[in-house]
Amino acid sequence: WQAAGLPPLGLEHESFDLIYAVSVFTHLADESLPWLIELHRLLKPGGRLIATYMGEWNSEWFAKEPWEPDRIGMNVLFKDRSWDVGGPAVLMSEWWVREHWGRLFQIDEIEPQFHNFAWASMTKRDVKLTSKEVLAPSEDPREIAALKHNIVQLQREVVSELEYEKELGHKRLQDLECHYERLLAQRDQHIAELQRSSSARLRRLARQLLSRMA
């Protein structure tokens, strides 16, 4: 079954006992909560969801910074990055998963590190919530701290992207200059060959005229 970018999947409500999502919520930004709600809808009462998320073991690689869970909730990086190069990367803290995913599911167990993912094993709660209700901040002060830090991360991305574009533009300029110099060298070579060819033809003509006059 192939899913579109956004739910629903077009499958019947409460039709699965178990659903697993590996390396899915690790890359979903705005679509994350709608898909979580869709999986909740598809599970039978008491059904189980196993889902992976990224956090402590991925911070150095994606965010280029040490892991500090108190400033990470659900922090989205590279939001507009093409799927051809991996798409967005989403870091989550366990406290955030327990608070927000826990509104839809009973969090039975979280295996904190396996293949550089955290694995959450959850049981469906008998609730019906919207994305806005699942995402609404709790009174935990880490919620605001995480949002503020995500802004810092996004600002850092913009600066990095501008520097990359500047470097890329400089390289393109250098490439154009090299190409122009090659064209000039080819032009000079063609001119020299034409001059040599013309001189040789003139000498042949002069010899032919002299031989006829003799």
Side-chain angles (χ1 to χ4, degrees):
W1 191 273
Q2 186 171 357
L6 288 170
L9 278 172
L11 300 173
E12 292 185 13
H13 287 227
E14 300 183 350
S15 53
F16 291 89
D17 294 302
L18 171 67
I19 296 175
Y20 62 90
V22 179
S23 192
V24 174
F25 294 100
T26 51
H27 299 286
L28 294 180
D30 296 335
E31 312 91 342
S32 182
L33 273 301
W35 274 114
L36 191 69
I37 290 170
E38 174 69 357
L39 300 185
H40 179 274
R41 180 187 72 82
L42 292 174
L43 284 168
K44 294 178 181 179
R48 296 178 63 81
L49 172 65
I50 298 174
T52 63
Y53 63 90
M54 296 193 295
E56 180 175 356
W57 301 275
N58 315 93
S59 181
E60 291 283 356
W61 175 261
F62 287 108
K64 311 300 182 188
E65 64 183 18
W67 175 252
E68 293 186 27
D70 288 350
R71 64 181 186 181
I72 303 294
M74 175 187 165
N75 289 32
V76 178
L77 308 174
F78 318 116
K79 185 175 184 295
D80 297 318
R81 188 168 65 177
S82 167
W83 289 107
D84 294 335
V85 290
V90 181
L91 302 179
M92 298 184 192
S93 286
E94 183 174 329
W95 65 262
W96 191 93
V97 170
R98 289 187 179 278
E99 171 60 39
H100 294 274
W101 287 12
R103 297 174 187 180
L104 288 169
F105 298 92
Q106 174 185 310
I107 310 295
D108 300 315
E109 183 181 1
I110 293 180
E111 178 63 39
Q113 185 183 16
F114 183 67
H115 291 302
N116 286 333
F117 290 147
W119 296 67
S121 177
M122 303 169 281
T123 303
K124 176 178 179 175
R125 292 186 187 277
D126 184 16
V127 294
K128 189 173 182 179
L129 301 174
T130 65
S131 294
K132 186 176 180 180
E133 290 170 329
V134 177
L135 192 59
S138 67
E139 295 182 0
D140 190 327
R142 291 177 294 186
E143 299 267 14
I144 303 303
L147 291 172
K148 288 181 177 179
H149 186 60
N150 204 182
I151 292 172
V152 172
Q153 291 172 315
L154 295 175
Q155 290 172 333
R156 193 183 303 153
E157 282 181 25
V158 171
V159 172
S160 178
E161 185 66 24
L162 289 173
E163 290 175 349
Y164 172 75
E165 290 293 335
K166 182 179 178 181
E167 181 181 344
L168 185 61
H170 181 65
K171 184 178 184 305
R172 286 174 177 168
L173 180 59
Q174 288 181 322
D175 291 342
L176 286 172
E177 289 174 346
C178 290
H179 182 61
Y180 179 65
E181 290 174 359
R182 286 196 297 270
L183 290 175
L184 287 178
Q186 290 174 1
R187 183 204 63 180
D188 293 342
Q189 182 180 354
H190 291 326
I191 290 173
E193 290 174 353
L194 286 171
Q195 289 174 338
R196 287 194 297 271
S197 176
S198 297
S199 297
R201 286 199 298 271
L202 287 172
R203 285 195 294 271
R204 284 199 301 273
L205 287 171
R207 284 196 297 271
Q208 290 173 359
L209 287 171
L210 288 173
S211 64
R212 289 175 184 175
M213 294 173 63

